Amino acid sequence: MSKVYVTRKVPQSALDMFDGKVDWDVNPDDRVLDRDELLAAVADVDGLLPLLTDAIDAELFDAAPNLKIVANYAVGYNNIDVDEATKRGVLITNTPGVLTETTADLTWALLMSIARRIVEGDRFMRADKYVGWAPLLLLGSDVFGKTLGIVGIGQIGQAVARRAMGFNMKVLYSDMFQLAPVAEQLLNAEKVEMDELLQRADYVTMHVPLMEETHHLIGAEQFDMMKDDAYLINASRGPVIDEVALVEALANNKIKGAALDVFEDEPLMKPGLGDLDNVVVIPHLGSATIETRTSMANLAVNNILNFLGGDAPLTPVNPEVIG
Ligand code: DGY
């Protein structure tokens, strides 16, 4: 029987699908395995179900000579050296699709929270500071009718754009890819260069994968281009924003605020970020609903079962491995 290792507990109903089909084990502790533990755990496995917090690289492939499939429990796979995997004939899969709408919902929750000062208001109430309605209390910014700039118009970017229709927003997007004219018309969306997007958008939201080309896509130069009353939202990957430059931009009111689900050195925040009032920070919760985390687990488990059982994987990242 093939052997499979899961690096951290995921919804049990998905793991139960392994029973009777593969010999499987899971990290019993609800924590990230340290490197030595991870390398020891993969020594004789055929399949691995890791998280975005596990680095899957040449050293790991060396430690796992039988490894045939790595089913990442995330749509993003910047934690995996895919070229190295492909060279060694190891199939990589991810979890696209199942988390699109949930992540778009969270993006909007961040946008609304920073625009309408929801978290500040909550802190204000809990500190017993509310003494009565006041005309100038915690004034935020309107969302409806404003311009939303979407950097990366993949599945999640498009789902964010669909939600903007309800707020009667103009959508600008930047990507190598262009939406079909009918989609652009429906979404009130216009493709522009990124500099133009930064200059015109009231809300800029990041939906690009992390790779060399997108590392620090937003830094000091970009903050200078943005409107001083614009907001930045990030639920993609932390390093697409230069977080030190962001702290500086927020502290000096170069932009009005930011709402972040992800951080450059996760789980840490750059010094000063958490001291600012004009920022909302949450711990990488983009896909964190019961339904979606279960669907992600089902997809990852089915990718492993299909592949080890001789069937096609559902969502391969490097299909060239199977020809
Ligand atoms: C992903 O899937 O890449 C998210 O960051 C976690 O769901």
Side-chain angles (χ1 to χ4, degrees):
M1 217 182 237
S2 301
K3 289 195 79 166
V4 172
Y5 190 74
V6 181
T7 65
R8 192 159 179 178
K9 286 175 191 161
V10 297
Q12 186 62 39
S13 56
L15 296 178
D16 289 345
M17 294 194 292
F18 282 139
D19 286 344
K21 301 187 187 101
V22 293
D23 178 10
W24 68 279
D25 202 359
V26 58
N27 167 13
D29 304 322
D30 193 18
R31 64 172 175 84
V32 178
L33 292 173
D34 71 31
R35 190 68 182 163
D36 288 342
E37 291 172 320
L38 177 62
L39 296 181
V42 298
D44 58 352
V45 301
D46 303 279
L48 181 64
L49 195 160
L51 312 185
L52 54 85
T53 41
D54 300 311
I56 309 298
D57 52 14
E59 183 187 35
L60 183 133
F61 296 127
D62 283 343
N66 298 337
L67 192 59
K68 297 169 187 66
I69 174 167
V70 175
N72 211 35
Y73 187 62
V75 65
Y77 46 84
N78 52 289
N79 58 311
I80 300 177
D81 185 339
V82 177
D83 289 344
E84 190 64 36
T86 305
K87 228 189 291 169
R88 295 171 186 243
V90 177
L91 182 75
I92 305 298
T93 66
N94 65 341
T95 61
V98 293
L99 49 68
T100 300
E101 303 296 336
T102 300
T103 307
D105 284 351
L106 189 279
T107 301
W108 270 89
L110 285 173
L111 189 156
M112 297 299 284
S113 298
I114 191 64
R116 299 304 304 273
R117 306 179 68 174
I118 302 297
V119 178
E120 266 185 278
D122 181 272
R123 282 197 292 260
F124 187 83
M125 288 298 291
R126 289 168 198 268
D128 276 336
K129 288 186 182 164
Y130 185 46
V131 291
W133 190 89
L136 301 180
L137 177 63
L138 287 173
L139 302 186
S141 301
D142 277 333
V143 175
F144 73 92
K146 294 284 182 76
T147 297
L148 176 65
I150 302 180
V151 181
I153 198 80
Q155 289 191 46
I156 297 172
Q158 289 177 47
V160 168
R162 284 197 295 278
R163 283 154 178 76
M165 291 164 68
F167 290 85
N168 197 23
M169 293 177 97
K170 168 74 188 165
V171 171
L172 304 176
Y173 70 95
S174 67
D175 203 313
M176 276 152 56
F177 169 80
Q178 175 134 20
L179 294 171
V182 61
E184 287 194 342
Q185 200 180 355
L186 183 74
L187 297 170
N188 193 18
E190 179 188 347
K191 180 175 166 168
V192 293
E193 292 301 321
M194 196 165 112
D195 288 1
E196 184 177 344
L197 181 152
L198 295 170
Q199 285 155 7
R200 287 174 58 192
D202 301 299
Y203 297 90
V204 174
T205 182
M206 307 302 295
H207 299 287
V208 288
L210 175 59
M211 36 193 197
E212 235 173 88
E213 299 80 352
T214 60
H215 183 263
H216 284 191
L217 197 56
I218 304 285
E221 199 185 322
Q222 287 69 31
F223 289 123
D224 281 341
M225 290 181 206
M226 288 173 70
K227 297 182 179 180
D228 57 11
D229 57 355
Y231 296 88
L232 179 65
I233 294 103
N234 189 14
S236 61
R237 285 291 184 267
V240 306
I241 293 173
D242 177 344
E243 207 171 292
V244 170
L246 173 63
V247 172
E248 157 95 14
L250 289 166
N252 295 319
N253 300 314
K254 283 194 175 161
I255 62 168
K256 191 144 190 191
L260 309 170
D261 184 37
V262 288
F263 305 89
E264 203 169 340
D265 307 316
E266 238 166 87
L268 304 175
M269 290 190 282
K270 292 287 189 200
L273 188 64
D275 302 327
L276 296 166
D277 274 335
N278 53 348
V279 65
V280 168
V281 286
I282 57 169
H284 206 147
L285 298 177
S287 62
T289 66
I290 295 165
E291 297 92 332
T292 291
R293 288 285 164 86
T294 303
S295 301
M296 289 165 66
N298 289 341
L299 181 52
V301 167
N302 280 321
N303 269 318
I304 291 178
L305 288 177
N306 275 22
F307 186 60
L308 292 180
D311 291 328
L314 300 164
T315 48
V317 167
N318 56 349
E320 60 272 31
V321 162
I322 41 184

